[in-house]
Amino acid sequence: MDEFLDFVSVILGVDKESISMETQYGTIPEWDSMSHLRLVAEIEDKYDVSIPFDRVWQIRSLSQFYDYVKGKES
Amino acid sequence: MTRLSILSNVNVDIIRSYLDKKFDIYLPYGYNAWFSEVLDESSGLIKFSPEVIVVLIDVNAALDKCSSDSGRYSVINELLSEINVVVQKFQSCLVLVNTIDVVNRQIKPIGMIDIGKVLEAKWNARLQRLSKEHQNVRILDLKSSIEGIGRRKFYDLKMWYLGNIPYSIVGFTEIANEIELLWRAYFAQRKKCLVIDLDNTIWGGVVGEDGYQNIILSESKEGARYRDIQKRIKELKDLGILIAVISKNNQEDVRQVFSKNKYMVLKLKDFVAVKANWVEKAKNLGELANELNLNPDSFVFLDDNIVEQEQMASIFPDVAIIRIDGSSFYSERTLIDAYKRYFPTLTVTKEDRERTEQYKNNRKRNELVLNSINIGDYLSKLRIELSIGLASQSDFERISQLTQKTNQFNLTTRRYTVAMIDNIANDSSHLVFIGRVRDRYGDEGLVWVCIIERNGDSAIFDSVLMSCRVMGRKIENAAMAYIEGYCKKIGIKMLHGEYLKTSKNAPVEDFFEKFDYRIVQEDEKGNKQYEKELTFTLPFPKEIKLVEL
């Protein structure tokens, strides 16, 4: 989980301390629609998972992304 | 940081994060805004004043709007003419233009030539012409990247439908790497010498134990792996990279392999030096650096032994180290990667091809020094000939290369691209001088460059530089005497000089003092401004023969 937040902070270009699993889409300026798509692409690439097309815009928090990383959702 | 702008008809924003450590990046904002920003003189792009422009066109997005082949042709024609405008407008930038990959997604009859192939051929032909006509236009071979990685991995259709983003993370990473590689190659940021080990590096086995006829090296099968490594090293040498051997071996064993094993691609004469002995490798490298007059950071060290690598790194942390992996069948890859990382090259000049010979001749000159009673005696024995005069078109590439590479004997360290040199040389207020040097041991080629900007009856030295391999032969005395004489003849009365201090150009910090220039200003950083009234001209060193170009 820690490593996941590390990864996300690098992609968003923010301090790790400024985000948590509860961080929501749009609540920090760095997480906008463009970086949202980049998160999808980077997470899929790194963790070898696939986030279904119709779920991409339903993801609102980092914990929802993490569910895919853990393989809870598929 | 270098200012780089990417012009694209699709969303390539992701690539920013792969390049922003090396470049200041500007992407025109807004869908298809790229071309209007090229035309609009007040656009963000023009204000940004880029040094590198990457044209990254996804033709599939553009072709998607067409339903007929003639429509597709005109889309390609339109894009090509837009690219032509970019090339005309940004002549002093490095302009990278991508090759295209037309993906056929339509449902249509099969068994015919795919129109995509025709469009690609048309595009490539135009790019080839552009890159021939313009030194500053280079090709970003997107098509080859896609072929290497495969379309399925390179494209990301999901991202395309979600955000107009055509490529996957793998794709963007590859494009970013290619951009960086071309940029480094264009600005000639490269190492100079590859130092190699022998046993288990360019052949399998240990020659001291197995004998020259039993080492693993052959045309096919297992030994072909090493032969392929040798072929790649030979190619590096042919691009002007010096190669040298540092190996723990008996000299006689090594000589035997080179002269008697018929599978050797590399010959002894390809090497600028062969140090086969039992001395510590770092000590050998230190000696080699001295003999070649190169800094340790100009070397790349190839070895199979991790202990040797660590010893080298502990003594010369600036030496780049690469390892041949004996367990891999694809070891030539190590050389190909090393080429991209340390020695990327866009063009090969005459000086590049003759470099090994030149460095070897230098070692002979060093021996002559030892046999001479004083410097005058040595220089007379060398029979130096300096051909000097104004530069012509065919010299521009080498001049640019020298401005990019020369660090020690360089008064102002101004870096110029070929296009910039072309502009300067064709500007009526500038004079670009070159000097070629030859002596009894061979031709050094173009080694001296001096750029002067004239302003009425005074002139300023914009750049004065010389290849460090001819240092210590009074070439600069002869060249300055000639240039001052030339200036006097065309009516210049006052010369201004400049020394801009860098971490590497200490060897010339008293250059202008030596020629009786007066310091008019000196700042705390060590930069100096000079002037000199041209009343007398300098004496010409009698050991050097002058030929006016």
Side-chain angles (χ1 to χ4, degrees), chain A residues 34 38 40 42 44 51 57, chain B residues 11 17-18 158-159 162:
Chain A
M34 185 59 224
R38 193 169 159 228
V40 172
E42 297 273 7
E44 288 189 331
I51 299 170
W57 292 114
Chain B
N11 186 345
S17 53
Y18 298 101
K158 175 156 54 176
M159 285 295 137
L162 285 169

Side-chain angles (χ1 to χ4, degrees), chain B residues 98-211:
Chain B
N98 66 292
T99 55
I100 58 172
D101 175 50
V102 183
V103 183
N104 176 19
R105 286 165 58 194
Q106 299 161 281
I107 295 172
K108 58 172 194 175
I110 55 172
M112 288 189 288
I113 270 284
D114 175 16
I115 179 76
K117 298 287 175 288
V118 182
L119 298 176
E120 286 174 7
K122 185 176 169 60
W123 186 279
N124 288 342
R126 177 69 69 85
L127 255 50
Q128 187 181 28
R129 212 175 73 206
L130 277 176
S131 67
K132 259 191 192 151
E133 287 168 3
H134 302 270
Q135 263 294 331
N136 61 318
V137 178
R138 297 293 102 186
I139 308 305
L140 176 67
D141 199 352
L142 183 70
K143 175 78 180 177
S144 291
S145 295
I146 294 171
E147 283 170 345
I149 286 168
R151 280 179 179 163
R152 258 172 225 208
K153 278 194 182 165
F154 203 95
Y155 291 104
D156 189 334
L157 207 51
K158 175 156 54 176
M159 285 295 137
W160 173 247
Y161 285 125
L162 285 169
N164 254 340
I165 302 167
Y167 311 120
S168 67
I169 295 299
V170 174
F172 278 118
T173 312
E174 172 77 8
I175 296 170
N177 288 342
E178 288 296 308
I179 291 173
E180 201 206 316
L181 178 68
L182 285 159
W183 167 69
R184 278 192 294 123
Y186 188 69
F187 290 102
Q189 298 183 2
R190 58 184 203 231
K191 308 267 181 187
K192 291 177 175 149
C193 182
L194 174 70
V195 172
I196 62 169
D197 181 33
L198 298 174
D199 294 328
N200 290 315
T201 300
I202 66 164
W203 59 68
V206 177
V207 64
E209 289 166 17
D210 305 335

Side-chain angles (χ1 to χ4, degrees), chain A residues 34, chain B residues 6-15 27-35 55-65 79 98 142 155 159-160 163-167 172 175:
Chain A
M34 185 59 224
Chain B
I6 301 175
L7 308 179
S8 183
N9 61 329
V10 286
N11 186 345
V12 294
D13 200 75
I14 286 181
I15 207 170
L27 296 179
Y29 182 74
Y31 181 67
N32 248 341
W34 73 275
F35 192 60
V55 178
L56 185 54
I57 298 293
D58 185 77
V59 284
N60 296 307
L63 292 172
D64 203 34
K65 299 174 187 70
L79 282 169
N98 66 292
L142 183 70
Y155 291 104
M159 285 295 137
W160 173 247
N164 254 340
I165 302 167
Y167 311 120
F172 278 118
I175 296 170

